Amino acid sequence: MKDVIRPVDPATLKSLTPSIRTFELKEECGINNLPNQIMAKAISDGFVFNILCVGETACGKSSLLDSLFNTRLDSTPSTHDIPRVFLRKNTYDLFEREIRLKLTVVETAGFGDQINKDDSFKVIGDFIDSQFQSHLDEELKIKRNLANYHDTRIHVCLYFISPTGHSLKALDLVTMKHLDSKVNIIPIIAKSDTISKPELQRFKQNILNELNTAGVKIYRFPTDDETLAEENLKANNLLPLAVVGSNETVKVGNQYVRARQYPWGVVQG
């Protein structure tokens, strides 16, 4: 007896065929689109930036940070009668043009105000080491949770130098020498509008000479990338940076800018 082949019902055939999911590409898919995907993920996750500000009391640390991030960060002015150096740590959630930034600012209080300054720099070094240790402890856990872990390791140290116009203080050299192997140091001449341009140029050269003599390594912007080499080289030639910060807004032309108003003119921050 011969087998009879009967036609299969289309509905039955459709039920037996495995369903294949399809989707439409909203954007180009390929290796050349990988940088855009990484950037989109980074923007979605947000960024973390930790700054250490080292400098004497009332040298303009808070004003400069307010000018840098164009906001008013909560900060309590320090007095000159603090018996020892301690660090104040504050974390802020900033948002600008769809970019989220978790900013942690660590400021020194009472730095340089004591008669005996032997231990002033040790407090700062111990704090940096403790942040490295905290991150290492999290890495060594059996169940790590780095996705939700707030990394507090310091990315950069802004070292504020008083605008004396002459040379660095002994405390400055000792502190920077103690920290240069732990963190990126960017020397900054605070309130640079208080000294003339010729004095400022001599002061910068004196600072660089003293740092080289003491063997202090400061941060240099990388010049190995051709797209940024020229700009970074210009930035390296400006070190130590001369800055002016302000919390006041002054009308210059048709817009309001952060600036300091003087009888002879306006200095923008």
Side-chain angles (χ1 to χ4, degrees):
M1 182 177 181
K2 296 182 180 180
D3 295 334
V4 179
I5 301 176
R6 296 184 177 87
V8 181
D9 183 31
T12 305
L13 181 62
K14 184 177 181 181
S15 63
L16 296 176
T17 304
S19 60
I20 300 176
R21 294 185 300 170
T22 61
F23 62 92
E24 296 181 359
L25 293 176
K26 296 182 179 180
E27 58 184 12
E28 184 180 355
C29 181
I31 297 178
N32 60 336
N33 196 44
L34 184 60
N36 297 330
Q37 296 175 358
I38 295 176
M39 184 178 67
K41 185 179 185 303
I43 293 176
S44 176
D45 295 340
F47 299 91
V48 176
F49 193 48
N50 306 320
I51 302 178
L52 171 64
C53 297
V54 181
E56 296 182 357
T57 304
C59 69
K61 299 187 293 294
S62 300
S63 298
L64 177 63
L65 289 176
D66 291 347
S67 300
L68 281 175
F69 296 98
N70 195 27
T71 186
R72 191 64 181 265
L73 303 177
D74 298 329
S75 59
T76 304
S78 300
T79 60
H80 292 277
D81 56 355
I82 299 177
R84 62 179 182 84
V85 178
F86 69 94
L87 301 177
R88 295 187 304 195
K89 178 180 175 182
N90 294 301
T91 300
Y92 310 93
D93 290 318
L94 305 181
F95 186 83
E96 181 179 355
R97 296 181 182 178
E98 300 182 356
I99 303 297
R100 292 187 299 107
L101 174 66
K102 182 181 285 294
L103 173 67
T104 299
V105 178
V106 183
E107 294 186 63
T108 56
F111 184 77
D113 291 333
Q114 296 76 30
I115 297 177
N116 185 359
K117 303 178 178 63
D118 292 343
D119 296 332
S120 297
F121 61 91
K122 294 181 180 179
V123 176
I124 305 171
D126 292 343
F127 172 80
I128 296 176
D129 292 338
S130 66
Q131 306 314 301
F132 282 116
Q133 187 62 47
S134 298
H135 190 272
L136 179 61
D137 292 341
E138 184 67 26
E139 283 274 8
L140 296 178
K141 288 182 179 179
I142 297 177
K143 293 183 179 180
R144 294 179 296 178
N145 190 20
L146 294 178
N148 298 322
Y149 176 74
H150 181 199
D151 189 357
T152 56
R153 292 175 297 177
I154 300 299
H155 295 104
V156 65
C157 170
L158 302 181
Y159 195 95
F160 290 74
I161 301 170
S162 299
T164 61
H166 300 290
S167 60
L168 289 172
K169 298 180 180 179
L171 179 60
D172 296 330
L173 286 173
V174 172
T175 302
M176 282 192 275
K177 183 62 178 177
H178 183 68
L179 300 179
D180 67 351
S181 61
K182 305 176 184 291
V183 66
N184 299 315
I185 298 177
I186 299 180
I188 290 177
I189 301 175
K191 298 181 178 180
S192 60
D193 56 326
T194 59
I195 54 180
S196 64
K197 287 187 177 180
E199 290 176 330
L200 181 60
Q201 294 303 320
R202 289 194 298 268
F203 190 30
K204 282 189 171 187
Q205 192 58 49
N206 291 340
I207 292 174
L208 292 176
N209 293 338
E210 292 180 347
L211 292 177
N212 291 331
T213 302
V216 177
K217 298 178 182 178
I218 61 175
Y219 178 76
R220 296 285 182 177
F221 297 96
T223 58
D224 51 353
D225 188 349
E226 294 181 358
T227 58
L228 299 173
E230 185 176 354
E231 293 297 326
N232 286 350
L233 184 60
K234 293 179 181 178
N236 288 333
N237 293 332
L238 294 175
L239 293 173
L241 302 178
V243 300
V244 179
S246 175
N247 288 326
E248 300 177 357
T249 55
V250 179
K251 187 175 183 180
V252 178
N254 295 326
Q255 60 181 353
Y256 286 90
V257 297
R258 287 178 176 267
R260 304 185 75 88
Q261 180 78 54
Y262 293 99
W264 44 263
V266 176
V267 177
Q268 295 190 29

